Amino acid sequence: MTGTAPGATRDEVLAELAALEDPRVRAVNERHGDDHGVNLSRLRAVAKRLGTRHELARELWATGDTAARLLAVLICRPRSFDRAALDAMLREARAPKVHDWLVGYVVKKSPHAEELRRAWLTDPDPVVASAGWALTTDRVAKRPDGLDLDGLLDTVEAEMKDAPDRLQWAMNHCLAQIGIEHPAHRARALAVGERLEVLKDYPTSPGCTSPYAPVWIAEMVRRREA
């Protein structure tokens, strides 16, 4: 299969995605809450062939199909979405992979990222709030000036234990990142992680680092100091 041409229409692209559907891939993805069966390497190859096609991306997103939305994220022009559009898209992106790619590949590159980070961080919808925490984690690592790290640790300490899974995961990542990147806050980050024990028993494959914050922090610091 040679695939659609770079100038392909929405319907042609949807037909190609349907042809790439693999029941075995879908079975694996569905265990993680993602309802699509397209191998992501093949999806990226389609995106590379299409190039940046912002209007096509909008059309693909509007279908609601998970594979189409993942492709839309890869071929859109992130800075062309206004704040309201990004907020609406995030609230529509219930599949975990679509949610993660939208935040990582589109929102982070948007001039509205900081405004959305602040708004989403305290959103009553835990899935939306998890996006705010993901953006905050990125700032903790790359642009921490102006962040209240003690305040973030206060919130994690008070709320992470009982947070829904996706929000808890995002808050835990932020906790670990604070401990990894900011030595002055490391002892408290470790103490919070040890007290809450969130993800302490999470199954971890050999050779992988546990997401349990105290282990994660210690391992990343060890690697950097080696």
Side-chain angles (χ1 to χ4, degrees):
M1 181 176 178
T2 57
T4 53
T9 65
R10 183 202 70 167
D11 289 346
E12 290 169 337
V13 172
L14 291 175
E16 179 173 7
L17 293 177
L20 291 173
E21 174 80 18
D22 183 332
R24 294 167 299 180
V25 174
R26 177 174 285 273
V28 172
N29 287 335
E30 285 183 342
R31 291 201 290 270
H32 303 286
D34 289 306
D35 56 341
H36 76 93
V38 180
N39 176 281
L40 294 181
S41 294
R42 293 187 174 185
L43 188 80
R44 290 181 184 279
V46 175
K48 184 176 180 180
R49 188 172 67 247
L50 291 170
T52 301
R53 296 276 308 277
H54 190 72
E55 290 309 311
L56 175 60
R58 286 182 177 274
E59 293 174 8
L60 291 172
W61 184 273
T63 67
D65 177 78
T66 294
R69 285 185 163 180
L70 290 171
L71 182 58
V73 166
L74 296 176
I75 66 171
C76 73
R77 190 177 297 108
R79 299 183 70 84
S80 293
F81 291 113
D82 62 24
R83 182 195 185 284
L86 291 173
D87 184 71
M89 291 166 72
L90 192 280
R91 293 175 190 281
E92 294 168 0
R94 309 313 287 186
K97 184 66 71 176
V98 174
H99 179 276
D100 291 347
W101 280 23
L102 179 66
V103 173
Y105 296 158
V106 180
V107 179
K108 283 182 182 179
K109 299 177 182 178
S110 165
H112 309 291
E114 178 60 17
E115 185 181 358
L116 288 168
R117 181 191 74 81
R118 292 174 180 272
W120 290 342
L121 196 62
T122 56
D123 196 276
D125 182 332
V127 176
V128 174
S130 74
W133 280 93
L135 292 170
T136 300
T137 300
D138 189 63
R139 273 205 60 189
V140 165
K142 299 176 182 177
R143 294 175 292 105
D145 289 353
L147 286 180
D148 178 5
L149 298 181
D150 281 318
L152 290 171
L153 290 171
D154 288 343
T155 302
V156 169
E157 190 166 20
E159 301 177 12
M160 182 172 74
K161 183 78 170 180
D162 298 318
D165 288 349
R166 285 169 67 180
L167 176 55
Q168 184 184 75
W169 190 273
M171 294 176 80
N172 183 71
H173 190 180
C174 190
L175 170 64
Q177 205 68 54
I178 291 171
I180 292 164
E181 301 289 346
H182 301 281
H185 298 272
R186 186 169 297 151
R188 186 179 176 203
L190 288 167
V192 169
E194 289 167 358
R195 187 175 73 79
L196 298 182
E197 297 187 333
V198 168
L199 301 175
K200 184 175 183 178
D201 299 320
Y202 190 85
T204 305
S205 302
C208 296
T209 302
S210 169
Y212 176 47
V215 173
W216 189 355
I217 293 167
E219 175 60 18
M220 295 309 296
V221 172
R222 183 194 67 78
R223 291 182 190 181
R224 292 183 179 188
E225 294 178 349

